[in-house]
Amino acid sequence: QSVLTQPPSVSAAPGQKVTISCSGSSSNIGNFYVSWYQHLPGTAPKLLIYDNNQRPSGIPDRFSGSLSGTSAILGITGLQPGDEADYYCGTWHSSQGAVFGGGTKLTVL
Amino acid sequence: QVQLQESGPGLVKPSQTLSLTCTVSGASISSDGSYWSWIRQHPGKGLEYIGYIYYSGITYYNPSLKSRIAMSVGTSQNQFSLNLNSVTAADTAVYYCATTLQFRNDVFDIWGQGTVVTVSS
């Protein structure tokens, strides 16, 4: 049972927009920054978003992050087949250290 | 660019100690501000944080694993290591090493590819 709650799966057609939610509490998202990671099985996870809405160098602006209270949202526009992956949110917890969501599998139809 | 590579046995017997090493290239393990971290993923599950070690030796361990963990840094080899003792089948997972944004312990910007560890007799 992950500390942060994500939908198990989302899907959308190429070129469309999709959002992935990440729900937490005041012990984590409510008081700490959220990061998002993209993971293709068998490869190293990749940092997409940090500090709720900041993109590391090299991450296209098709990826965006936002925060509302104790929930975070990852948005992906202009979906491409290469975006098909597992996406994880992460943050810090006041008594558990880093915590993550259970992951959301994105399918590009 | 910075790269991390995990290494260690893929099979560990129950009650024994799991020992993994992460070799860092492209950066010094003694760099100020980097938190050298371990994260694992159980089969079909989400990510679980194990903890970090700072180059000075300061550590933070996940409270749920704290009693079984020891991390160390090998500055001459530019490596850091994880020891997890008294393993059970519940420790079967893909183990990742990662480093963080500078002076942050909560944002993992570089990850290794992961190493599969199975606990079985």
Side-chain angles (χ1 to χ4, degrees):
Chain A
Q1 189 85 355
S2 300
V3 173
L4 306 179
T5 302
Q6 297 181 237
S9 63
V10 296
S11 61
Q16 295 299 303
K17 174 181 178 177
V18 70
T19 60
I20 299 173
S21 61
C22 174
S23 178
S25 70
S26 58
S27 297
N28 42 69
I29 292 179
N31 281 286
F32 298 95
Y33 287 117
V34 175
S35 301
W36 288 91
Y37 304 88
Q38 179 191 61
H39 186 210
L40 284 79
T43 69
K46 178 195 288 186
L47 175 66
L48 290 178
I49 298 287
Y50 69 97
D51 289 359
N52 303 332
N53 56 18
Q54 300 298 302
R55 286 186 308 276
S57 174
I59 301 300
D61 59 6
R62 299 189 299 108
F63 295 90
S64 65
S66 62
L67 189 73
S68 177
T70 58
S71 292
I73 300 286
L74 172 70
I76 311 172
T77 59
L79 272 176
Q80 302 175 359
D83 296 332
E84 196 161 280
D86 297 324
Y87 291 83
Y88 293 89
C89 57
T91 187
W92 195 260
H93 189 287
S94 56
S95 62
Q96 298 179 33
V99 291
F100 299 93
T104 298
K105 182 176 180 59
L106 169 62
T107 300
V108 181
L109 300 169
Chain B
Q1 86 240 33
V2 180
Q3 291 185 309
L4 306 179
Q5 179 66 58
E6 306 88 351
S7 60
L11 181 64
V12 182
K13 292 185 180 345
S15 80
Q16 293 191 342
T17 296
L18 180 164
S19 297
L20 297 175
T21 295
C22 183
T23 301
V24 181
S25 58
S28 169
I29 197 123
S30 301
S31 298
D32 195 18
S34 292
Y35 293 80
W36 305 102
S37 308
W38 290 96
I39 295 158
R40 69 182 182 179
Q41 182 174 29
H42 295 103
K45 304 290 186 182
L47 300 168
E48 181 183 26
Y49 183 62
I50 299 172
Y52 70 71
I53 184 164
Y54 200 63
Y55 78 96
S56 61
I58 293 172
T59 56
Y60 178 92
Y61 300 150
N62 182 328
S64 69
L65 299 169
K66 187 175 182 178
S67 63
R68 300 196 290 130
I69 296 175
M71 294 184 189
S72 60
V73 169
T75 53
S76 58
Q77 308 99 318
N78 219 40
Q79 296 174 333
F80 62 105
S81 298
L82 167 70
N83 278 356
L84 177 66
N85 62 41
S86 303
V87 297
T88 69
D91 295 308
T92 293
V94 178
Y95 285 76
Y96 297 95
C97 59
T99 189
T100 62
L101 290 183
Q102 203 170 22
F103 299 110
R104 298 283 296 271
N105 59 8
D106 60 330
V107 182
F108 307 98
D109 66 334
I110 306 292
W111 299 60
Q113 297 226 338
T115 187
V116 177
V117 176
T118 301
V119 178
S120 175
S121 55

